Every structure is written in structure tokens, then in C-alpha cells.
Amino acid sequence: MSDLNVDDLPKDWLELSRYLHNNAHDFSAWEQLVSAALKLRHDAVSSRLVAISYENLLVNFPYCEQYWCNYAEYLFHTGRTDEAREIYERGVEVVPKSMVIWTKYLDFVVETVHQYDPAVAVFERARKEVGLHFYAHLLYDRYLQFLKAHRRVKEYHYLVRRVIEVPLYHYSKYIKQFFKLIENADLDTIKYLVTKEDLKTVYKLSWPDLIGRKDDRVFTDLKKDMRKRYMDIYITTQYHVFQLWPFEEAVTRPYFAPDELERRELHNWNRYLEYCETLSLKSSHKDSDSAITKNTRKLIDTVYGRCLIATAYYPFFWIKYSNYYLNLNQLDRAKKILVTGIYHCATENVKLRLRLADLEVLTRNLSAAKAVVVDLLQIYPNSVQAWLKLLQLEHLGKNKDLLQLVEAKLDEVAGTEHEPGFDYLFLELLSYNLELEPFLLKYQHKSSYLFWKACIDYYYLHSPDATKLQHTYRLALEKLGDADRARLEGYLDGVVEKEYF
Amino acid sequence: MDLSQDTDDLLANFPQWAALRHALAENNKDPQLWGELVSYVEGLVATQLNTLKTNPQLCELLADDFRSLLARFPYLTEFWKRFVAIEYSIEGLEGSVAILEEAVASFPSSCELWVDYLNVVISNNLKDEPQVRDLFKRAVAHVGRQFLSHPVWDLYLDWESKHAGVTALEYVQILLQVVQYPLHQYARYFESLYEITSNFTIEDLIPAEKLHSLMESSYPGKQLQDLDADQVKDLSDSYFNEIFTSCYTRVTERWEYESQLTKQNFDLLPVSDDDMARWIKYLDFEESKGDVEQIKSLYERALVPTCSYETIWLKYLRYLIRNSQDTEYIVSLFNKGCDVFVSADQPTIRYMYAKFYELKLEHHEKARQIYISMIAAHPTETHPIARYVQYLCGRLGNEHTCRQLLRLLDVYTEKTTDELDADFGELRSVLNMWNAANLVVEAARIQWVRRKDVRAARDVLFAYIKTELVRCSVAFWTFFFKFELAQKNTKNLANIVNHVKYYGQLPTTCINQLLDEYREHLFRTGSLEQLQPNRELVRLILETDIESSTHMKHFLKARLSANRDEDPVNKRLIKENGHPGVVSEYRPRLVNPIDFDASILAQRDAAQMPRFTNVERATMPLKYLQMDETN
């Protein structure tokens, strides 16, 4: 903003942006900021402000599909077509499974790109990303229309043939189209519907047999039989559509919004994902290079991508997605998903980060793992969980001064509200191969159950010593409160000497 | 509550009565339902007294219901009173007095019930003078020290004034007794006493010993008869002033606590922590004052509202065990607490009872009975057995106990037919498939933490690892795991985890907890080289995440299948996909789909003819798993 003069900026926009500086999670304020910028009289300053508003909104809420489109459209309408394309490109990179952005992008491409090759390349990319989306008719209608306009008969045939295999909301529309293609097939187009090999093995025919017999029975019989055979694809696709429909029907908010989703909705996504994942359990999916495996995995990715647009604030689904790739033994993919998840779940991401650290360890990336935990500790400096992980990592890194590290932390939290929680570290240290006695002796002034339990366990279970146990027990009873004393007495009942009455 | 067909027949004309009884059988702690039942019966008494009077079976049923309630909850004063009133209407005076006698016997610390009882006895002249006097003495012995016991004292004084007269020694002795106690109305009794002291000699008013010491201090070397009337009066005044001052201080001190007590009566509702704390504070204060009878009286009072909680029972018993030699009373109190008031889910008082027999009375048979009954009452819990074994170790020594436990296990598993002594024979009689494995744990625990013999402990545990006995024992596997965790023995931990995750018949949450702890252990004690991205570690992560889909839980799937093979479970998941419990075996499927990622632009030829499986069976009916079972 350095070249913008603060005095030139409209007051309400400036106020909002100041407010947002400290309240970046207030979605409606962001929306107000954008609309405040759009309301300004068009000039160089205002177009900068619009860009700043959109860019910052999208940094904070990258899954807001519509705002990517709005931003691109704004640029397009102000004559900045290249920039608009760039925004669409960024949009589909950030939210690759967004049908909203893709369709808008394709409309934009049709309007601005007049050569066939570059335009069809975008259609193909869209097909690969969202072609298995349950509502992909939005894509296919545009694609087919485009091919028709460019008189690409072959590709048109190929595309319809592929679409009929996909379980779509509008599946029957494409089947009908395909039957029509068979119906209207002539000597040229029949080649796009059946291969030479199939013609030979299934019908005992070859291309020359068909030449000049367009209106004759051979040709009609062929078409009739093909229609019969393709009826089965209709049944199969329909079956799968019916399977997906209960899940699809239950999705009431397929888009991103900053408020919470109903439990029922979350549950539905979870069941939907498990349904798709279970499809890939078939023994025919053992070969990960086969088309059947690849297509199913693509469907799973598509459903995850769609689910996460709506559930981006729920670490549950990020972990689930990451676990899906862990199960496929693709640790790098799993890590990438966690990183994205951490970005989206700005506050509730402890488990995501701890898991990421674990995966970094498993891929022998100790320094990366440490970086993850140190990051976490910067957000939650007093998270005991994060500290336990840090201890693990330091120990893995053969840090000799583990106890000094703990000591420093304990000193830091001494006397604060976090002290009781961090006393858990004493118990945790028992699990490490460390010489703890002098360390424990330093803290005998403590009065928390966790600390004394650690001391007792040390002499009781880890490094048994009856005299010291008895001594520690006496000390602990002096230091502990009534309830904790009763707990400890119960714990060591019959082990140490004590007065009963 | 008797719900037999006979009673239903009996109540055929009283459907509401029958319905209430059935509702109460479901929930016999609902004060509202009991209230409704009693109100209903009261209504019957008011409107259909003759029907009731002519049908003794109905009356018996009614009385039985009351008795069953009041036997379970003897402190429900209101229900006692309503029972008395109903019995009076039906059976007349004699019946109702009998109930009142029962009431003061079951609830002797109730001032209210005593007053009712005494009133009935006096107004109907049911007993002769010495009997009534005895009854009053019993009443004040039980409730006379209660802060608000003045109704009983007033009744007593009133009665005695009419019988012996206010100038009689019997009358003044009551007053002399009552002024000793810190009561709410103490001032009134002092006034009454001052009014009549002139009627009595100083010997009547002051106990001889006390009088003697007073003489010693005020008029050393003199005899009572040497003093003139003024001197005698001074002596008596200073004596009573001292009592008054002390009583005044004691009442003021107690008022601070008494005024805060919000819950003094028993009802079927929970006692709040605040109420409990107030009683405990008051009791602590009273204990610090050291007046044994006063302390006992306050405990008896406190144990009315809080009788269902072991807290104050424990406190009282501990106090008595420390300060009283009256073991018979202590035992009776233990029995009352354990048998009537404290519910079975509060075991501490029972264990304290056992310890009392063991340590104070050295009556081992009784102690054993209590331990064994605890095991029998909680057949699936680990703690009762652990407590009993602790007790045995203390008495018989660690080594002997451990050996005998293992012998007992051999008998239990029918390896031998040795005779067992009473200590172990009775334990044998309460063993079952849930708790038998705890004996292995206890034997190992003795070796480990008492005898410090890690190797012997491990031997005990290993000996049973593959037996039927421990297969579904959470206690065994968690103990074994914790044991090796404390030893930091990664190899054995791995063995345990391997066994549990494939063969363990434990709850999934329990297995997953072990897996989690094992994974943490590996991360804490392993080196980076050992933590290779091996399938095993990844599976451990997948297994315990709530986020994981079912099919990622490989160990769970293996456990569900007979030969640890995931395939059958996968097949079942596929068949039931989308509809757990509903099998659709034949789902139509395209066998040769086109690779979706292959570019259309690069496609040279038409696609292959599609091939399918199960298309013709797409419309076959589904199979419901439950239907299979009933067929």
C-alpha cells in the first residue's frame, strides 16, 4: 500500500480495514470491505482498493468460491482480461474441486479464447478435476456445447461415451444423447463408437463390410445390438447414482460459510466418504495402475475436495483425508493435506500439527518436525501436549540436556495457572531412559498430585526402593491436600506402612 | 415390593393403587411416587374405610408396603407419621402405638417421633408412672442433647410437674440435667431453675463431689453446716452462674454452625456439597471441643440427612475407633451403615469394616467374610480381589500368598484337585470368568512390587499369556503392558501388543489405548533410525484415530476374522457398503471403464465395448442380516 496515500482513502473503507486488522476472522466485515471498495467511483485508487480487499478476503477465506469468481469478473469487466484469467487460475489451484469456479472459468474461456486448442485444454483440465462431481452436468453441457460449436465430432462422441460411465445427477440425459449418437451413426461416426477389434470379435465384421450398406440390415442390426449392449451401462450407472443419491440429497450446504455445520451434515459427509473409500476395497482394485482403481481414487479425491470446501474448519476431515493417503502409504500426500488443513483451521489445529510432526519423524525429517512443534508452541506456548511432543523430538534428536529444557519450562510456569498442568511432565519423564532422582529431589516443595505420583512411581515401579518409597510417601502426605492424600493412600494401600485409624 | 398375581387380583378394584405399586417397583427411590401412593391410601381411608376394615389382606398389603419403604429408609419421619395416622383409622389406638414404638426404635434420633409417641402414651394413659418416666429418660438420652430438643424437655417437665410436682426432687433433677446442655432454649430452663432453687437444699442441687471441691476452694477447712444462709446462697449462685456462663458460651459457639444448617432432615434427594461441607465443619468443631456425648449426639444428627453417603459414616467411625473402647457399639454402627444406609457402590466403609476386624479385633474370619462378600457383590471388578490379596499378604506373607494364588488358579482351571484352606477356598467360590485372571495379576504384582522380583513377575505373566483364562481380561493385559512399560522392555511390549491386536478379546477402546501407549513408547524410546516409515507404525496411527474410516483399521479387521485375514471383513464391508446390516451381494459393475485421466484429445480409437458383472442381478432383493437370524 506504500504508493497509496492514507489521506486519499475513503474513510469507511479505512475504518473497516483497521477493524479487520485485529479481527481477521470476521467474515461479514470482509464482505463489507469488498462492497465498500466496489461502491467507490472508478479510478486508479479505487481499483487498487478493490484488489486489496478481494486479495485479503481470499487469503483469509480461500474456499469462498464465489469471491474468486466475483474478483475475476470485476477484473474482466474493467478490461483486465489477463489478470482475470490469472485469478481464475489461482482459484482453481486453491480449490481444484470447485464446480463454481470451473464453470465460471469455462464461460470466461469461451468468451475470451477463440482458438480451439488453448480453450479445449482448459476444458480437459476441468474434466479431470471435477468430471466426477455429482453435478458435473454443469461442466459436460458446456464442454459438449463447445465441441459442437467447433464441429469436433470425434471428440464429441468420445466425450459422451465417457460421461455415460460417470454417476451423475443428470445421468439419463447423456445416455439418451449416446443412444441418439448410435441411432444417427453413419459410416464416419460409427468409427467413434466401436473399435475395429470389437467389430471383428463381437460382430464378425470389418470396416469394408459396412461400406455402402448404410441402409441395409447389417448396419441396422449392428446399431440395434450396440444399443442393447449399452443398455447395461445405463443400468450400472443408474445403480451407482441411486447409491450416491441419499448422500447427495443430505448435503444442504455444499459451499463454504464461516458458521458451523449441523451434526447431521457432518455425519453425512463422513458416511459418504466411507462409502466411496469402501468401493476401492474390491480385489479388482489391487492393481493401483488399473483404470478402475484410478477412477475410484479420483472419485474419492473429488468427494473429499467437495466435502472440505464445506467443512474446511473441521480438523476431523483433514485428518481423515490425510489418513486416507497414509493408508495408501503416500506419506508426502498425507503431509501436504495436513499442511493445507493447518492453514484452514487457524485455531483448532493442535492435532493436525502434532500429526504432521509425527509424519515428519516417520519420513526422517526431524528438523521439519521440530519446526512444526515450535510453530505450535508459538501459538499455544503453554500447551502441555505440544510440550510433550517437543520432548519426544528433542529426545529423538539426542538432546543431552532434556532435563534442563524441562527445568526451564517449569521455572517459566512456576506460580502461574499453568503450573499444575505442566507437573504432568514429571510423570512423562518417567517413560524416558533418564536418571531422574536428582531432578525430582529439586522439586520436593511442590504440592501437586502429579508431581508426587511421579516421585512415588519412580521409587515404586521404575527404580524400586522401599525405604525411599516410604520416605517419599510420608513427604507427599504432608504436602498434599485431603482429596489427593486419599487418592495416594488408596494407590499405595498395602504397599507402604501407614496408620489405618 | 410384592408384585405377584395374587396382589394384582387383590387390587383388582383399585387400579390406581396397583399402577402406583408397579411404578414404584420400577423406581423405588422416587419420593413423588411414594407421596402419591400414600396420598392415595389416605384418600381410601377417608372415603372407603369400611372396605379396608373388612378386608384384612388389603390392610396387610398396605402395612407391608409402608414397612418395606421404612425398612429401606427409616429416616422418613413424615411417612412414619402418615403410617401411624392410617393405622389409627384402620386398627385403632393399639395399632398406631405399636407403629410409633417401631418408629422410635428404628429412628431413635428423631425428636419429633419421640414427642408424638410420648404424647400418645401420656394422653391415653397407656403406661404407669415409672414406665413413662423410663420412657422419658430413654427419649432424652437419645435426643436430649440436640440443639432443638426443647419439645421433649418441655413435655418431660410438664409431665413431671403434674406427677411429682415442681417441688419434687424428680422435677428439679430434670432441670439440673437440661441446663448442662447447649440448647437453643437454654435460657428458659435456667429461669425455671432459678424460680425453684429456694425450695431445695444446696445438697439437692449440687452433686456431692462438686460441692466438696467448691467448699475447698471458697471456704478451705470449713464444713457446710458452718456456713450461714448468705454464704450458702453465694456458693450456689456462683455455681449456677458458672454453669450458665459456660452454657451461654457453648450455645453461642454452636449457633454459628446451627444457623447455617439448611438440610437437617432426610429425604430421597441428593445432599449438596455445600450441605455436606457445613456438617463436616460443624463436626470438626464439635470434635475439637472434646465432649464425647455431645460429639456422638451431633454425629447421630448429621447422619440423618447424610445417611446415604459414606462420608460422615467414615468420619464418625474413625472418630469412635480412635476414641472409644465400645467395640460392640462400633460393630453395630458398621452393620447399620453397611446393611441399611450406604449403597453398595460406596465400598470404602466396607473395607474399613474389614480392616477394623483385622487390625482392632483380630477376627480374621469376619474380615475374610467381608472381603469375600465384596468380591461376590462386584463380580466383574478388579479392586475387591486386589484388596483381599493385600489382606492375605499382610497376614500370610507375600511368598505364601503368591504360591497359594497360583495353586488356586490350578484348581480353578482344573489342573489339580488339591484341597484349599478357607482363605483360598472361599476365594475360589467367588471366582468367575471375569475376575479369575485377576489372580494372575495379583500374583505377578506380589512378585513385582512386594518381592521386587521382576523376573519372577514376568514368569508368572508369561505362563498365562496364551491361556483361555486371560484372553478377555482387561486387567491382565493392561497390567502386563504397564509392567513391561515400566521395565521399558520394548521387545516384550511388541509381543504383548502383537498378541492383543490380533487375538485379544478385549473392548476395542481398551486395545486402542494400549496401541496408543505403545506408539508413544516407540516415539519416546526409539531412535530416528528405528522409526522408519514402516507399515506397522502407520497402521498404529490409523487404527486409533477416530477420524479413520473402518476399512483403515487393519487390526480390528483382522480380529474380526477367524484366521486374522482382512479379506473376509473387506468383502463384508463391500457387500454392506452404504447400508450396514443390509447385504447386497451383487452390485452391477463396469469391468473395463475408460481411464478417466486419459485425454480425450489424444484418444485415437473408439472406446472398448463395456463389459459388466452382475447387471442382470441389479434388481435382486436385498438381504437383511437380522432376517437371517430369525430364519
Side-chain angles (χ1 to χ4, degrees):
Chain A
M1 238 204 265
S2 55
D3 54 331
L4 288 174
N5 191 340
V6 176
D7 300 332
D8 299 344
L9 301 179
K11 228 169 136 199
D12 54 342
W13 189 89
L14 203 61
E15 251 171 46
L16 270 169
S17 61
R18 277 195 185 125
Y19 165 79
L20 282 166
H21 187 69
N22 297 320
N23 298 282
H25 295 293
D26 187 343
F27 183 64
S28 62
W30 281 108
E31 290 188 298
Q32 285 169 32
L33 185 76
V34 170
S35 59
L38 286 171
K39 271 189 215 134
L40 300 174
R41 200 166 45 82
H42 292 288
D43 58 18
V45 174
S46 82
S47 72
R48 287 294 305 282
L49 292 188
V50 171
I52 289 168
S53 309
Y54 272 123
E55 288 285 350
N56 282 295
L57 182 146
L58 289 167
V59 164
N60 284 296
F61 302 94
Y63 277 3
C64 248
E65 304 157 277
Q66 193 58 46
Y67 273 93
W68 286 105
C69 304
N70 294 355
Y71 186 20
E73 268 169 27
Y74 165 82
L75 293 171
F76 181 45
H77 289 310
T78 51
R80 292 143 74 183
T81 314
D82 286 343
E83 285 173 60
R85 177 177 302 108
E86 201 184 299
I87 296 305
Y88 278 124
E89 279 292 336
R90 270 171 56 202
V92 295
E93 198 192 321
V94 174
V95 209
K97 304 295 175 195
S98 165
M99 187 56 90
V100 177
I101 305 179
W102 274 114
T103 48
K104 287 276 167 35
Y105 187 21
L106 292 173
D107 290 345
F108 169 82
V109 167
V110 170
E111 209 171 328
T112 55
V113 182
H114 300 294
Q115 301 98 318
Y116 171 73
D117 285 340
V120 80
V122 183
F123 273 105
E124 267 298 281
R125 273 174 55 211
R127 187 184 64 84
K128 283 177 193 170
E129 286 297 354
V130 291
L132 292 173
H133 194 299
F134 194 66
Y135 297 103
H137 62 275
L138 295 166
L139 160 70
Y140 291 125
D141 286 351
R142 284 173 170 81
Y143 200 172
L144 290 170
Q145 181 67 38
F146 168 82
L147 291 174
K148 205 177 205 171
H150 284 268
R151 299 177 193 288
R152 298 289 167 158
V153 182
K154 183 176 82 176
E155 285 80 4
Y156 190 95
H157 278 73
Y158 288 170
L159 183 58
V160 179
R161 168 65 182 82
R162 290 200 186 193
V163 175
I164 58 175
E165 287 184 3
V166 183
L168 298 175
Y169 180 70
H170 278 301
Y171 68 102
S172 61
K173 182 162 91 178
Y174 300 103
I175 292 275
K176 274 185 207 144
Q177 274 194 41
F178 188 70
F179 285 156
K180 202 167 259 169
L181 290 181
I182 296 178
E183 188 79 36
N184 299 336
D186 54 26
L187 278 180
D188 283 334
T189 57
I190 193 76
K191 285 184 195 158
Y192 308 143
L193 298 171
V194 62
T195 60
K196 198 166 82 182
E197 292 73 29
D198 280 335
L199 201 64
K200 193 172 162 199
T201 52
V202 183
Y203 300 106
K204 312 274 178 265
L205 291 170
S206 62
W207 296 129
D209 295 336
L210 296 175
I211 295 172
R213 303 176 73 165
K214 190 176 164 242
D215 303 315
D216 138 343
R217 272 200 60 178
V218 179
F219 208 75
T220 0
D221 284 353
L222 173 65
K223 284 182 182 179
K224 210 185 262 174
D225 189 81
M226 277 175 66
R227 194 188 152 85
K228 219 178 87 203
R229 282 171 194 273
Y230 276 100
M231 207 56 200
D232 285 356
I233 229 172
Y234 180 59
I235 294 169
T236 310
T237 306
Q238 184 180 53
Y239 183 91
H240 288 292
V241 172
F242 286 4
Q243 293 287 313
L244 299 188
W245 177 239
F247 303 117
E248 288 290 348
E249 191 186 27
V251 176
T252 57
R253 201 197 78 188
Y255 50 86
F256 169 86
D259 41 344
E260 288 186 4
L261 280 166
E262 279 183 37
R263 283 188 82 80
R264 197 176 28 185
E265 187 109 0
L266 298 172
H267 185 57
N268 179 57
W269 277 118
N270 191 29
R271 284 183 52 225
Y272 194 177
L273 291 165
E274 294 214 8
Y275 172 82
C276 296
E277 287 182 23
T278 305
L279 291 178
S280 68
L281 283 184
K282 275 262 180 212
S283 47
S284 52
H285 287 74
K286 289 242 164 78
D287 171 13
S288 57
D289 286 331
S290 74
I292 198 162
T293 313
K294 276 155 76 181
N295 291 2
T296 311
R297 288 189 185 168
K298 206 158 188 76
L299 174 70
I300 294 168
D301 276 328
T302 307
V303 179
Y304 265 113
R306 290 175 57 201
C307 162
L308 282 166
I309 293 175
T311 63
Y313 281 173
Y314 293 85
F316 181 94
F317 292 99
W318 292 106
I319 300 239
K320 191 178 179 74
Y321 197 16
S322 149
N323 280 0
Y324 167 71
Y325 276 104
L326 271 189
N327 195 39
L328 294 174
N329 230 359
Q330 300 186 21
L331 270 76
D332 287 331
R333 236 358 237 279
K335 281 198 287 190
K336 267 193 196 125
I337 291 162
L338 290 175
V339 171
T340 320
I342 291 166
Y343 183 88
H344 284 276
C345 304
T347 48
E348 272 181 67
N349 57 24
V350 179
K351 181 165 183 182
L352 290 169
R353 286 181 196 261
L354 293 178
R355 175 57 50 81
L356 181 59
D358 282 353
L359 297 191
E360 294 289 9
V361 169
L362 289 186
T363 44
R364 313 193 66 178
N365 237 334
L366 195 56
S367 52
K370 264 190 214 166
V372 172
V373 176
V374 169
D375 250 12
L376 177 57
L377 281 168
Q378 260 167 8
I379 313 173
Y380 301 112
N382 292 313
S383 155
V384 178
Q385 247 182 322
W387 251 87
L388 298 182
K389 189 54 75 185
L390 184 71
L391 270 188
Q392 270 183 16
L393 296 178
E394 291 293 340
H395 187 255
L396 276 173
K398 304 207 165 64
N399 184 341
K400 295 264 186 308
D401 304 323
L402 214 55
L403 289 178
Q404 277 168 330
L405 192 72
V406 176
E407 208 174 326
K409 186 63 195 174
L410 289 172
D411 287 346
E412 186 192 318
V413 294
T416 69
E417 51 173 330
H418 303 293
E419 185 181 347
F422 271 91
D423 282 350
Y424 182 77
L425 289 180
F426 291 107
L427 273 172
E428 176 78 5
L429 286 172
L430 291 179
S431 331
Y432 288 91
N433 289 315
L434 295 170
E435 172 46 44
L436 280 182
E437 194 166 8
F439 183 73
L440 291 174
L441 287 174
K442 270 189 209 170
Y443 291 91
Q444 305 275 311
H445 58 276
K446 281 198 174 273
S447 59
S448 75
Y449 182 73
L450 290 174
F451 170 74
W452 285 105
K453 172 88 169 22
C455 292
I456 295 278
D457 272 357
Y458 183 74
Y459 293 122
Y460 179 33
L461 305 177
H462 292 266
S463 172
D465 185 324
T467 343
K468 286 179 178 169
L469 177 64
Q470 186 70 37
H471 176 70
T472 314
Y473 177 67
R474 292 263 165 247
L475 278 178
L477 290 190
E478 280 170 30
K479 297 279 183 191
L480 293 174
D482 282 347
D484 289 336
R485 204 179 302 144
R487 243 166 108 190
L488 195 64
E489 278 175 340
Y491 180 57
L492 289 183
D493 199 8
V495 179
V496 289
E497 288 164 30
K498 68 168 191 178
E499 275 174 40
Y500 272 94
F501 302 111
Chain B
M1 187 167 275
D2 180 12
L3 286 180
S4 64
Q5 188 58 43
D6 289 349
T7 56
D8 279 352
D9 292 344
L10 186 63
L11 295 177
N13 294 329
F14 307 95
Q16 199 187 341
W17 191 348
L20 279 168
R21 294 182 85 254
H22 278 276
L24 275 168
E26 293 282 314
N27 181 9
N28 68 357
K29 272 187 158 186
D30 186 341
Q32 208 180 337
L33 278 179
W34 278 111
E36 277 175 41
L37 179 71
V38 175
S39 302
Y40 174 78
V41 172
E42 282 166 348
L44 280 186
V45 170
T47 54
Q48 304 185 43
L49 190 57
N50 276 331
T51 325
L52 283 175
K53 277 190 171 173
T54 51
N55 194 339
Q57 275 176 302
L58 272 184
C59 297
E60 212 173 291
L61 180 70
L62 187 159
D64 280 351
D65 283 355
F66 262 111
R67 287 212 169 82
S68 77
L69 168 69
L70 291 167
R72 176 77 186 78
F73 302 109
Y75 291 169
L76 288 170
T77 318
E78 190 204 329
F79 285 90
W80 278 115
K81 291 172 121 181
R82 291 165 87 172
F83 186 22
V84 169
I86 289 171
E87 201 66 13
Y88 182 77
S89 306
I90 300 172
E91 300 277 336
L93 182 64
E94 210 172 306
S96 67
V97 172
I99 306 290
L100 275 170
E101 263 170 42
E102 249 179 76
V104 293
S106 316
F107 189 6
S109 52
S110 167
C111 184
E112 218 176 327
L113 289 174
W114 274 112
V115 170
D116 278 8
Y117 179 41
L118 289 164
N119 265 326
V120 171
V121 168
I122 296 166
S123 54
N124 294 295
N125 284 324
L126 295 177
K127 291 183 193 287
D128 59 24
E129 213 178 293
Q131 280 177 319
V132 175
R133 192 166 285 124
D134 279 349
L135 217 48
F136 268 116
K137 283 192 176 142
R138 251 178 75 202
V140 296
H142 280 300
V143 302
R145 286 169 175 270
Q146 291 183 8
F147 198 62
L148 296 174
S149 61
H150 52 274
V152 172
W153 288 109
D154 290 345
L155 194 64
Y156 191 7
L157 286 165
D158 184 53
W159 181 83
E160 199 62 276
S161 74
K162 282 176 191 153
H163 285 83
V166 290
T167 51
L169 211 52
E170 283 91 343
Y171 183 77
V172 79
Q173 267 164 359
I174 303 174
L175 282 172
L176 287 171
Q177 189 187 355
V178 70
V179 295
Q180 305 282 344
Y181 303 152
L183 303 184
H184 181 245
Q185 312 258 317
Y186 72 104
R188 273 204 297 128
Y189 298 118
F190 271 102
E191 266 173 42
S192 309
L193 183 63
Y194 285 144
E195 274 170 26
I196 56 161
T197 41
S198 54
N199 300 335
F200 299 94
T201 64
I202 192 164
E203 286 104 325
D204 291 337
L205 299 173
I206 304 176
E209 246 174 70
K210 184 73 195 166
L211 188 59
H212 185 69
S213 67
L214 278 176
M215 287 292 298
E216 288 283 283
S217 57
S218 307
Y219 305 100
K222 286 198 176 177
Q223 292 295 310
L224 191 58
Q225 48 269 38
D226 301 338
L227 305 182
D228 58 29
D230 284 347
Q231 283 174 318
V232 171
K233 189 160 187 322
D234 282 350
L235 208 58
S236 143
D237 284 353
S238 75
Y239 171 69
F240 284 110
N241 269 338
E242 197 189 311
I243 295 184
F244 181 81
T245 323
S246 119
C247 191
Y248 167 77
T249 337
R250 280 151 66 213
V251 170
T252 324
E253 283 171 345
R254 278 159 188 79
W255 176 243
E256 198 186 310
Y257 300 96
E258 289 283 349
S259 60
Q260 287 183 17
L261 293 176
T262 47
K263 188 155 180 148
Q264 303 207 37
N265 293 320
F266 175 75
D267 52 37
L268 296 166
L269 302 171
V271 179
S272 73
D273 289 349
D274 283 348
D275 281 324
M276 191 64 93
R278 282 187 201 113
W279 277 112
I280 289 175
K281 225 170 91 191
Y282 192 7
L283 289 165
D284 282 341
F285 162 78
E286 199 63 76
E287 275 193 37
S288 73
K289 291 287 155 186
D291 180 346
V292 178
E293 287 306 313
Q294 194 67 28
I295 295 168
K296 275 174 145 181
S297 164
L298 187 64
Y299 266 113
E300 298 282 347
R301 255 178 84 201
L303 276 173
V304 174
T306 65
C307 63
S308 316
Y309 296 80
E310 60 181 2
T311 323
I312 290 183
W313 285 102
L314 294 175
K315 193 170 162 59
Y316 188 23
L317 286 163
R318 200 171 295 131
Y319 170 80
L320 286 177
I321 293 170
R322 280 183 189 154
N323 296 290
S324 154
Q325 299 304 315
D326 188 355
T327 50
E328 211 171 300
Y329 180 65
I330 297 175
V331 167
S332 77
L333 212 57
F334 265 121
N335 282 336
K336 210 160 91 172
C338 296
D339 296 346
V340 183
F341 292 104
V342 181
S343 57
D345 57 346
Q346 304 177 78
T348 317
I349 184 170
R350 276 104 183 161
Y351 291 126
M352 190 175 173
Y353 194 10
K355 274 276 171 221
F356 176 69
Y357 269 124
E358 179 194 340
L359 299 178
K360 292 278 164 176
L361 306 184
E362 291 180 20
H363 192 327
H364 288 294
E365 191 151 334
K366 279 276 185 193
R368 183 173 69 225
Q369 273 173 14
I370 297 170
Y371 284 120
I372 295 289
S373 72
M374 284 303 280
I375 301 173
H378 305 276
T380 58
E381 281 176 29
T382 56
H383 197 58
I385 290 190
R387 293 295 297 239
Y388 184 50
V389 172
Q390 269 173 25
Y391 157 76
L392 292 177
C393 283
R395 217 182 90 222
L396 309 171
N398 298 329
E399 215 174 329
H400 179 77
T401 309
C402 183
R403 223 176 18 247
Q404 287 298 102
L405 283 177
L406 295 176
R407 235 185 94 211
L408 167 54
L409 276 168
D410 285 345
V411 175
Y412 180 76
T413 52
E414 292 171 357
K415 267 195 207 150
T416 63
T417 49
D418 292 358
E419 281 292 312
L420 296 162
D421 59 18
D423 285 325
F424 293 89
E426 282 185 31
L427 180 57
R428 162 75 188 87
S429 69
V430 288
L431 286 188
N432 57 48
M433 61 172 282
W434 299 291
N435 63 16
N438 287 328
L439 298 194
V440 185
V441 172
E442 293 309 325
R445 199 198 306 274
I446 293 173
Q447 298 288 18
W448 180 24
V449 300
R450 286 172 180 269
R451 305 196 60 234
K452 315 285 176 215
D453 190 342
V454 170
R455 184 191 289 252
R458 189 173 282 136
D459 286 346
V460 170
L461 292 166
F462 258 115
Y464 289 90
I465 188 165
K466 291 214 166 110
T467 59
E468 199 64 33
L469 188 73
V470 300
R471 183 174 287 179
C472 53
S473 167
V474 174
F476 176 83
W477 291 105
T478 44
F479 179 83
F480 201 175
F481 186 85
K482 294 230 159 102
F483 167 73
E484 294 296 5
L485 202 58
Q487 310 305 322
K488 303 193 176 65
N489 188 329
T490 307
K491 197 168 142 247
N492 281 353
L493 281 174
N495 283 335
I496 295 170
V497 165
N498 273 333
H499 189 83
V500 167
K501 76 188 179 197
Y502 287 126
Y503 301 95
Q505 291 178 351
L506 310 177
T508 308
T509 45
C510 168
I511 293 181
N512 285 356
Q513 204 178 340
L514 293 186
L515 296 183
D516 267 342
E517 281 182 41
Y518 175 59
R519 183 164 52 90
E520 290 289 313
H521 169 78
L522 291 180
F523 270 86
R524 277 193 292 246
T525 54
S527 65
L528 203 54
E529 289 68 37
Q530 289 164 325
L531 295 172
Q532 278 310 286
N534 62 44
R535 205 69 197 112
E536 190 65 14
L537 276 167
V538 168
R539 284 186 175 199
L540 284 173
I541 292 177
L542 292 174
E543 188 77 15
T544 62
D545 262 353
I546 48 157
E547 291 89 351
S548 292
S549 304
T550 315
H551 72 87
M552 298 174 194
K553 302 187 174 174
H554 299 280
F555 307 132
L556 175 68
K557 288 199 290 186
R559 281 202 302 281
L560 288 172
S561 137
N563 45 3
R564 316 300 141 201
D565 176 10
E566 293 182 32
D567 273 353
V569 183
N570 282 342
K571 280 190 180 128
R572 193 180 147 184
L573 283 174
I574 295 163
K575 282 179 194 170
E576 296 180 22
N577 197 8
H579 322 274
V582 184
V583 177
S584 57
E585 295 256 12
Y586 308 106
R587 300 178 183 229
R589 220 158 48 84
L590 182 61
V591 177
N592 58 341
I594 309 169
D595 183 349
F596 198 83
D597 272 345
S599 168
I600 284 178
L601 312 175
Q603 190 174 334
R604 298 245 165 267
D605 278 317
Q608 279 188 334
M609 276 291 190
R611 293 196 309 277
F612 303 91
T613 52
N614 295 329
V615 176
E616 66 289 353
R617 295 195 263 198
T619 51
M620 289 233 319
L622 300 170
K623 238 171 52 191
Y624 293 91
L625 286 183
Q626 279 145 319
M627 268 166 58
D628 280 3
E629 279 164 24
T630 47
N631 289 346

